[in-house]
Amino acid sequence: EVQLLESGGGLVQPGGSLRLSCTGSGFIFSTYAMSWVRQAPGKGLEWLAAISGSDGSTDYADSVKGRFTISRDNSKNTLYLQMNTLRVEDTAVYYCATDLPYQYGMDVWGQGTMVTVSS
Amino acid sequence: SYELTQPPSVSVSPGQTASITCSADKLGDKYASWYQQKPGQSPVLVMYQDNKRPSGIPERFSGSNSGNSATLTISGTQAVDEADYYCQAWDSTTARFGGGTKLTVL
């Protein structure tokens, strides 16, 4: 069964940092591009960042560029999101998802991990 | 920035056809995908590459995309289809989501 499992969420103060992880199973992790998507409480989906499967090229939404870094370790089947200089408005459920090729869509989603930024 | 526009809500009677639209400039030149999200759950891909259904998605779900609009159509809507639906497309290397449509089956 294809699965993604996020971890690393929690409560952090404004200005703090947090690293999220997303571990994949049931598929060849290294062959898939991956994305991070978040959803603030009661709001819609917001794409944050994507990373290719092979060469590790990355892209970011303007809202997180320079603060968040997406990376992956294919030997551990794990995707990461390093979040720095966190703001109250970064409070959300964070999802990882597999990217279908040719921008067809986002296939498999994790269960999400909650990040709360509050003093 | 590239924006995808969806109606906030759509209502449909059980057994009838529901259509949810997603509008953006030249959306038909890109691939549209659709996600279903029920309360407290993760999004689920219900349509990709404009009109392809992932394995396990019922045949009553169909999709189209041309011009400036993409449409997700649910034929013979069931109560279990009540959920939020989001369209998504890539603008170059940036993914965009529509604001979401709450589908009510009543």
Side-chain angles (χ1 to χ4, degrees), chain B residues 2-3 5 9 14 16 23 26 29-31 43 69 81 85 88 98:
Chain B
Y2 193 76
E3 291 188 6
T5 301
S9 62
Q16 298 304 111
S23 300
K26 299 181 180 178
D29 292 345
K30 310 175 189 301
Y31 289 119
S69 291
D81 299 328
Y85 290 85
Q88 183 261 315

Side-chain angles (χ1 to χ4, degrees), chain A residues 12-95:
Chain A
V12 62
Q13 292 188 337
S17 298
L18 209 57
R19 188 178 82 158
L20 306 182
S21 300
C22 166
T23 301
S25 60
F27 64 104
I28 304 175
F29 185 82
S30 61
T31 64
Y32 279 84
M34 302 286 297
S35 281
W36 284 100
V37 176
R38 72 182 176 186
Q39 186 171 36
K43 302 297 184 182
L45 302 174
E46 179 188 13
W47 174 83
L48 301 177
I51 186 168
S52 68
S54 51
D55 65 8
S57 59
T58 58
D59 293 287
Y60 295 91
D62 288 343
S63 59
V64 303
K65 197 175 296 182
R67 296 192 301 126
F68 291 10
T69 302
I70 188 173
S71 63
R72 66 191 299 160
D73 184 339
N74 287 336
S75 69
K76 296 182 179 178
N77 287 356
T78 301
L79 174 74
Y80 302 101
L81 185 68
Q82 177 67 44
M83 304 186 295
N84 298 330
T85 320
L86 283 162
R87 306 166 180 166
V88 171
E89 54 265 35
D90 294 319
T91 295
V93 175
Y94 285 71
Y95 298 100

